[in-house]
Amino acid sequence: MAHHKFSSPNITEMLGVTPIALVTDEEIWTRLVTPQVKALLGEIISSKTEVRETTDGDFGGDEVTNFNDHRLYGGKTGFVRFPYINSYYKCASGALVIKRDGLKFKVLAYFGNPEKGAADLIFKVALRDRRYDGTARANDCALVDFIGYEDMKLNHTLQLPGMPENSSAVELSTYGFMPGSRIVDACGDADFDEFVRAPYKFVGKPKTWLRHFKKAWKSKRSPGQNGNPIPDVARIVPAVVEAMAFERGYDYIENAPSHFHVAKWAESLKYRYADPVQAETLKQLTDGIARIKAAGVVLTRPQESWIIAMQSLPKELIPEQFYLGGAIWPQDNIGPDNLWTYKPISDRAKAVAAANASK
């Protein structure tokens, strides 16, 4: 009888425990939480770590998701398919919450007292293994913020030609705003605050969009920045998460930039656009901004980003000098379409990128 050759699967990863899930809380605190965020939080006073399986959190905004609507315990709602670990660190001036399951860890820092509903979310960084993107299982992660990862066409950049066999990738998302700096805190205008946070939500109300745009144009806030950024977050986080991903054997780190200025920041960090059609759209938008500036119009970086957002309005409502020819920002942060960017970080991924660049 012939001897059967058995495969040697990576059992833990096939069951959904991926390398990025093994980043420790200590490593997150010492490497990823930036000095300015630590200064705002103050020293850690106490901690509690437990396994959870419910969507409810400790306070408003601390909930997790069950996008695939799994029904457990006799069909009850409010539970997640896969349990997750919740670590709560009470700090002198706030709290640090670290959530993790097999695919993702998410770090959230609050300034104030979140348990009493009196705190600002000031810092949020997450890394998510993308191996199940393009399948329904991707949405089983209790820590995902947006539904739609199950669509292969929209989400799996690792199908790009030339990528190494069995490539692996993690998605980065990051956020960092100073406490008390939201627009609504300064002037009490909740509608304007929401417009700056999510301008594409207002595209269907163009008169309101243009009214808010006039105020945003004179400010130093870019789309999405309804709070004032913490300076060292953008400076420190990218290199740290790249190192964490590289050390755990990932080939690529990816990001879905929410707005034009974020995409340009990603470009400066050597991220590339995954979809050639979207890459051409970004080129058209970038060239359009260059034409406006070449005509003598002085623009700040936030204003450049607002002009890009304006392209989603009906053409007749866009001032002629700001019309960019019909190209529209591809990610409205509402629907499932994402502008995926990726960066090679492993040696083999970098070798492929270098070979492709020389062709």
Side-chain angles (χ1 to χ4, degrees), residues 323-335:
Y323 181 63
L324 303 183
I328 296 176
W329 180 251
Q331 177 176 312
D332 63 10
N333 309 302
I334 301 171

Side-chain angles (χ1 to χ4, degrees), residues 19-31:
I20 204 62
L22 303 181
V23 176
T24 66
D25 287 6
E26 181 177 9
E27 189 175 358
I28 287 170
W29 175 257
T30 58
R31 298 177 64 184

Side-chain angles (χ1 to χ4, degrees), residues 1-326:
M1 181 181 294
H3 179 69
H4 181 76
K5 184 177 181 180
F6 289 91
S7 62
S8 299
N10 187 324
I11 294 172
T12 56
E13 290 191 26
M14 289 185 71
L15 289 175
V17 181
T18 63
I20 204 62
L22 303 181
V23 176
T24 66
D25 287 6
E26 181 177 9
E27 189 175 358
I28 287 170
W29 175 257
T30 58
R31 298 177 64 184
L32 188 55
V33 180
T34 71
Q36 290 181 330
V37 173
K38 287 177 183 172
L40 288 166
L41 291 177
E43 65 177 327
I44 296 174
I45 297 173
S46 63
S47 65
K48 181 180 181 180
T49 297
E50 57 188 351
V51 176
R52 294 184 176 177
E53 56 181 353
T54 60
T55 55
D56 291 340
D58 291 320
F59 47 86
D62 190 49
E63 302 84 4
V64 299
T65 54
N66 180 11
F67 284 136
N68 284 340
D69 194 28
H70 289 286
R71 303 297 183 96
L72 305 179
Y73 303 106
K76 294 180 181 179
T77 60
F79 293 90
V80 296
R81 181 182 180 191
F82 298 117
Y84 61 96
I85 298 171
N86 190 88
S87 298
Y88 187 93
Y89 294 91
K90 183 176 178 60
C91 300
S93 300
L96 183 78
V97 179
I98 301 175
K99 300 178 185 294
R100 71 177 76 242
D101 67 2
L103 291 181
K104 181 176 183 178
F105 74 75
K106 181 159 59 173
V107 186
L108 308 105
Y110 296 89
F111 180 81
N113 191 335
E115 297 174 25
K116 293 185 177 180
D120 288 346
L121 175 64
I122 60 171
F123 180 75
K124 176 181 176 181
V125 176
L127 282 177
R128 183 183 68 89
D129 190 297
R130 295 198 66 200
R131 73 186 58 220
Y132 297 122
D133 283 21
T135 72
R137 185 169 176 176
N139 291 334
D140 282 340
C141 175
L143 309 181
V144 292
D145 298 316
F146 304 101
I147 195 166
Y149 288 118
E150 78 282 358
D151 191 317
M152 177 70 76
K153 181 180 178 182
L154 296 177
N155 288 299
H156 216 298
T157 58
L158 294 183
Q159 290 185 322
L160 291 172
M163 286 190 169
E165 184 179 2
N166 298 320
S167 291
S168 59
V170 287
E171 174 196 3
L172 163 67
S173 54
T174 182
Y175 164 109
F177 289 147
M178 294 294 291
S181 67
R182 283 184 55 188
I183 291 169
V184 68
D185 295 329
C187 65
D189 191 336
D191 198 55
F192 180 54
D193 183 282
E194 182 63 10
F195 169 77
V196 174
R197 188 192 73 83
Y200 295 101
K201 289 176 60 176
F202 289 75
V203 169
K205 300 183 288 184
K207 290 184 179 179
T208 301
W209 201 101
L210 290 169
R211 174 167 54 85
H212 286 325
F213 167 79
K214 290 179 181 178
K215 288 197 290 186
W217 184 258
K218 298 176 182 179
S219 74
K220 294 182 179 180
R221 299 289 175 88
S222 298
Q225 290 183 343
N226 62 326
N228 192 34
I230 296 176
D232 70 353
V233 171
R235 177 171 53 84
I236 292 174
V237 167
V240 173
V241 294
E242 285 177 30
M244 286 179 168
F246 174 79
E247 291 160 7
R248 284 154 183 85
Y250 287 93
D251 296 297
Y252 297 92
I253 188 164
E254 303 187 70
N255 177 256
S258 54
H259 297 283
F260 183 71
H261 62 284
V262 184
K264 290 301 171 183
W265 173 69
E267 282 185 24
S268 73
L269 296 174
K270 309 300 184 185
Y271 281 75
R272 309 155 187 230
Y273 297 105
D275 185 334
V277 175
Q278 291 181 337
E280 178 58 29
T281 297
L282 265 291
K283 182 179 184 305
Q284 293 175 22
L285 294 172
T286 301
D287 291 346
I289 293 294
R291 288 195 301 272
I292 293 173
K293 295 167 76 171
V297 180
V298 177
L299 298 174
T300 64
R301 177 53 66 86
Q303 287 172 339
E304 291 178 11
S305 212
W306 282 114
I307 289 174
I308 300 302
M310 177 179 275
Q311 304 309 302
S312 293
L313 294 178
K315 179 182 177 181
E316 63 270 18
L317 297 180
I318 303 174
E320 184 177 354
Q321 65 173 337
F322 290 159
Y323 181 63
L324 303 183

Side-chain angles (χ1 to χ4, degrees), residues 336-350:
D337 293 299
N338 283 327
L339 174 66
W340 284 110
T341 64
Y342 68 99
K343 180 177 182 179
I345 55 175
S346 71
D347 292 340
R348 66 177 192 155
K350 289 178 180 178

